[in-house]
Amino acid sequence: MQQLNWGYVQLGLFALAFGALQIWWIGSTLRRQRLPRPLSEGDFRRRLERIWQKQH
């Protein structure tokens, strides 16, 4: 009976580790989607012009 219970403990630990990896993977995927996108050429030029106006 002890070996049967130990098998369940091992299975539970494996399932817990697998679930934690799944949560980490989904979280990292969602985080990657929230990264800022590159500016278009026009937006980049407007931002540079605003910066230059503030400096002079």
Side-chain angles (χ1 to χ4, degrees):
M1 194 69 173
Q2 290 291 339
Q3 291 176 349
L4 181 64
N5 288 340
W6 179 243
Y8 284 130
V9 169
Q10 287 178 329
L11 182 62
L13 290 174
F14 179 77
L16 186 65
F18 183 75
L21 284 174
Q22 288 292 316
I23 291 170
W24 171 80
W25 179 73
I26 291 170
S28 67
T29 302
L30 292 176
R31 234 177 285 120
R32 225 179 302 135
Q33 290 177 354
R34 282 187 256 134
L35 291 175
R37 302 284 178 226
L39 295 174
S40 68
E41 188 176 334
D43 289 337
F44 182 70
R45 187 172 296 163
R46 280 191 290 276
R47 286 191 184 196
L48 278 180
E49 287 173 359
R50 274 190 243 137
I51 291 170
W52 291 333
Q53 286 175 357
K54 289 179 183 178
Q55 290 179 353
H56 295 292

